Amino acid sequence: MAGCVLAIDQGTTSSRAIVFDSGFSPISVGQQEFPQHFPKSGWVEHSPSDIWTSTLRVCREAMEKAPDGGSGVEAIGITNQRETTLIWDRSTGEPVYNAIVWQDRRTSDFCATLRGQGLEETFTAKTGLLLDPYFSGTKIAWLLDNVEGVRDRAERGELVFGTVDTWLIWHLTGGSVHVTDATNAARTLIYNIHENRWDEDLCKVLNIPMSMLPEVKDSADEFGVTDAELFGRSLPILGVAGDQQAATVGQACFKPGMVKSTYGTGCFALMNTGDTAVRSHNRMLTTIAYRLNGKTTYALEGSIFVAGAAVQWLRDGLGMIESAGDTQALAEQADPNHDVYLVPAFVGLGAPYWDADARGAMFGLTRNTGPKEIARAVLQSVGYQTSDLVEAMRADWPGAEKPVLRVDGGMTASDWTMQFLADILGAPVDRPTVAETTALGSAWLAGSKAGIWPGEDAFSAEWKLEKRFEPQLAATDRTRLLAGWQDAVKRTRTRQD
């Protein structure tokens, strides 16, 4: 079983580890959910120790389940929830506060102040991002300014910042390595994606000491080796990418114009734009898709904050379903003549609206509305939001054809949802045979760097289609449904810019 790679997939609601064999197939899995903390409205936090201990536990579980106790594992790849922000003591590893999760909106007012000062263009020109609480930079500033003693310690050089990948690598290497990769750095609001460096001017605006920042490496690179005590031997960490970029790699979207969309807690669509950093005029993000051998490949990205999280809301918030799988059965039984729209702005609206203050709303309710119609609205909201993203990307890149959408993530298991997605896009939706594309992408980065897995072309040739969903909805019905969606969004927004 030589040539195996251990992929760490540290997500928003759970930590997972998967061992892939040399044929890119998953052969063992470990997974553990961990608590979410909501100390105030719009605030979302994780315990840093939960992130680390759950990750270590699932890695050991996946290794133990693999043939011969994982002896064939030769490298580790890491993919992670992006933008989630941690600060810890450089010497002890003790965090100064909980991890502030990407969904957190506590810096909305700060972002508005920066926009009011006319600074958004400065940030966008350098980072490809917008001034939104989503990104790490304003979270770092909040921690420095609101946790007692943190700024003084940071300015003395005692503290370091990291996204989740950096936090995990620090622990995996026994505190000896403080690094990140270009894709994660690109989501911080302080990294110049054109010059591939931390930006001193942006750090000054946010008053962030640059001594806190990790070294930035390629996505396939040497990130250190694990402490031998963790897995009984040292293993090299050779691949790192933020979860959406890792999924782009795992879907083999290596050619410009290819698009993938991942449906997890949120929904994230990326279009490969090659070596051109396409400037969006429709409030998409310009970001780094991956950086290999010093060469940067860029992407346009649309971020939706709530996708699978809306299904969790049906289960945990409303008690309407017992498991996520129940949603499709309800949706299939909904009244076809009853159009209900859910705008799931539970933590604000992401692309292309970027309205941090918007909150969720439901429209079209009648006395006959019941769980079936609400369940259908939840699933349809994912399709509507994806349509917004794809149309914005096409407008940003004139001449781009309506793309085939390669999909992954938990929600893609629902044939009903994927068929609606194809219908509302008016374009094919391709679901791959290997559903674990995010983990697979990080595994490929590590395996290719180790020389035990093939390069881009051979890897792309191995991508296999499980099912294609062709659009079946009449154009008139698509137009009507999208008009209803746009009306619902307009009513939900707090600003119409």
Side-chain angles (χ1 to χ4, degrees):
M1 292 300 295
C4 295
V5 177
L6 173 66
I8 296 171
D9 184 356
Q10 202 299 304
T12 308
T13 58
S14 70
S15 298
R16 308 176 71 221
I18 303 175
V19 175
F20 289 89
D21 64 20
S22 57
F24 322 131
S25 295
I27 56 174
S28 64
V29 180
Q31 179 165 349
Q32 181 183 337
E33 291 190 0
F34 56 87
Q36 312 291 297
H37 302 282
F38 309 99
K40 294 184 181 180
S41 177
W43 291 29
V44 188
E45 297 177 359
H46 291 158
S47 162
S49 63
D50 284 346
I51 293 173
W52 164 239
T53 58
S54 63
T55 298
L56 179 60
R57 186 174 296 115
V58 297
C59 285
R60 287 172 169 168
E61 181 182 351
M63 295 275 279
E64 290 169 2
K65 289 180 178 178
D68 300 320
S71 61
V73 171
E74 298 185 42
I76 293 177
I78 296 174
T79 185
N80 55 283
Q81 53 168 314
R82 304 172 304 171
E83 297 94 18
T84 295
T85 299
L86 302 98
I87 294 178
W88 64 95
D89 187 283
R90 185 186 298 274
S91 300
T92 67
E94 187 67 26
V96 301
Y97 189 81
N98 273 349
I100 302 181
V101 180
W102 58 272
Q103 298 165 312
D104 189 280
R105 314 306 286 172
R106 74 186 66 188
T107 62
S108 292
D109 290 345
F110 183 33
C111 290
T113 298
L114 294 171
R115 281 196 299 272
Q117 295 170 352
L119 288 169
E120 184 159 69
E121 171 57 28
T122 301
F123 280 90
T124 300
K126 293 184 174 188
T127 70
L129 309 178
L130 300 170
L131 280 172
D132 189 87
Y134 179 24
F135 306 109
S136 306
T138 58
K139 294 177 170 65
I140 302 171
W142 188 93
L143 288 166
L144 290 169
D145 292 333
N146 290 276
V147 181
E148 185 176 356
V150 167
R151 177 166 294 284
D152 288 343
R153 293 175 64 193
E155 291 178 349
R156 290 197 300 267
E158 298 174 7
L159 302 179
V160 294
F161 151 75
T163 43
V164 168
D165 59 309
T166 304
W167 173 248
L168 294 180
I169 293 169
W170 197 93
H171 280 279
L172 287 166
T173 61
S176 64
V177 180
H178 181 222
V179 296
T180 188
D181 93 296
T183 69
N184 279 293
R187 313 298 295 189
T188 60
L189 206 63
I190 52 175
Y191 188 75
N192 189 313
I193 63 171
H194 309 288
E195 300 178 5
N196 272 288
R197 62 174 178 82
W198 297 114
D199 193 283
E200 185 175 2
D201 292 337
L202 298 182
C203 286
K204 286 181 179 177
V205 170
L206 297 178
N207 201 13
I208 296 172
M210 295 188 73
S211 62
M212 301 177 67
L213 307 180
E215 178 187 356
V216 182
K217 291 178 168 284
D218 285 353
S219 303
D221 211 328
E222 295 178 358
F223 294 89
V225 296
T226 63
D227 187 324
E229 293 184 1
L230 297 177
F231 306 117
R233 58 192 171 101
S234 294
L235 290 168
I237 305 167
L238 298 176
V240 175
D243 51 11
Q244 305 314 315
Q245 286 91 339
T248 303
V249 171
Q251 289 278 33
C253 290
F254 294 121
K255 296 180 180 179
M258 296 185 74
V259 183
K260 76 88 202 175
S261 191
T262 299
Y263 299 93
T265 302
C267 164
F268 304 86
L270 269 75
M271 174 185 284
N272 185 322
T273 62
D275 58 7
T276 303
V278 174
R279 178 67 182 269
S280 176
H281 300 287
N282 295 279
R283 300 179 72 78
M284 294 290 101
L285 305 176
T286 306
T287 195
I288 293 176
Y290 46 85
R291 197 175 82 194
L292 301 175
N293 300 315
K295 180 182 178 182
T296 303
T297 296
Y298 294 95
L300 281 171
E301 176 176 337
S303 307
I304 297 167
F305 299 147
V306 174
V311 177
Q312 289 179 317
W313 170 67
L314 286 182
R315 183 191 67 188
D316 303 335
L318 300 185
M320 195 174 288
I321 57 174
E322 291 185 3
S323 67
D326 298 339
T327 315
Q328 174 170 318
L330 283 173
E332 290 173 339
Q333 301 171 47
D335 183 348
N337 299 312
H338 190 168
D339 292 335
V340 176
Y341 292 93
L342 170 70
V343 183
F346 301 150
V347 289
L349 282 171
Y353 309 107
W354 296 106
D355 188 341
D357 296 320
R359 288 296 176 262
M362 195 175 295
F363 299 91
L365 301 179
T366 71
R367 181 62 182 81
N368 294 326
T369 302
K372 298 172 184 177
E373 288 71 32
I374 293 174
R376 182 180 63 183
V378 164
L379 298 183
Q380 287 180 327
S381 70
V382 174
Y384 292 131
Q385 292 179 101
T386 305
S387 176
D388 287 344
L389 301 184
V390 171
E391 290 307 310
M393 287 177 180
R394 292 179 66 212
D396 281 333
W397 205 5
E401 299 293 328
K402 183 164 284 192
V404 174
L405 188 68
R406 289 188 172 182
V407 298
D408 54 83
M411 293 191 78
T412 65
S414 167
D415 284 4
W416 191 95
T417 307
M418 293 303 98
Q419 183 59 57
F420 180 77
L421 180 59
D423 286 342
I424 210 66
L425 291 177
V429 171
D430 284 357
R431 187 170 63 195
T433 299
V434 177
E436 304 292 351
T437 54
T438 303
L440 178 60
S442 69
W444 178 79
L445 291 169
S448 61
K449 179 64 178 178
I452 58 176
W453 282 20
E456 290 180 23
D457 292 343
F459 181 68
S460 296
E462 291 296 321
W463 187 92
K464 292 182 175 61
L465 176 70
E466 185 267 328
K467 186 172 183 177
R468 168 168 285 189
F469 298 86
E470 295 281 2
Q472 299 174 359
L473 190 67
T476 52
D477 290 333
R478 182 182 306 117
T479 300
R480 175 181 59 80
L481 289 172
L482 285 171
W485 165 254
Q486 290 299 328
D487 180 64
V489 170
K490 184 177 181 180
R491 294 168 183 265
T492 304
R493 295 176 66 187
T494 61
R495 62 177 192 266
Q496 304 297 321
D497 56 1

